[in-house]
Amino acid sequence: MNSDIHLHDVVALLGDLPVKHFETGRPLLLRRGQIGTVVMTYDGATFEVEFAGPDGRTYALLPIAASKLMILRDTPEDAAA
């Protein structure tokens, strides 16, 4: 379950997703593993995710169901004994 997704979390897509470029409207294919940032939460089951290039420019911004995302973590959690 991905209910622990929060604002500003870095997430990755669990599958390919066809979209349109944020500015130009040209078709793009976001691939499985594509990394984005949660910029808005809706109902705990859907999140607005921004995908940007190395230059910081947004190329896709769209709502995505939590079931199609995984959180990327950079620090470990303490294990329960």
Side-chain angles (χ1 to χ4, degrees):
M1 188 78 173
N2 288 311
S3 60
D4 57 345
I5 296 175
H6 300 290
L7 190 64
H8 301 133
D9 279 348
V10 177
V11 294
L13 290 175
L14 293 175
D16 294 350
L17 186 63
V19 299
K20 292 189 179 196
H21 191 279
F22 178 69
E23 292 179 344
T24 67
R26 80 177 192 273
L28 296 175
L29 179 62
L30 300 181
R31 301 301 298 230
R32 178 178 170 257
Q34 197 94 34
I35 297 170
T37 303
V38 175
V39 295
M40 183 180 292
T41 63
Y42 291 108
D43 55 6
T46 305
F47 302 89
E48 189 84 8
V49 181
E50 177 185 40
F51 297 89
D55 60 0
R57 296 178 67 122
T58 301
Y59 55 83
L61 180 67
L62 63 153
I64 302 176
S67 62
K68 296 182 179 193
L69 298 170
M70 74 175 285
I71 299 172
L72 299 180
R73 304 181 190 278
D74 60 356
T75 55
E77 294 181 19
D78 291 329

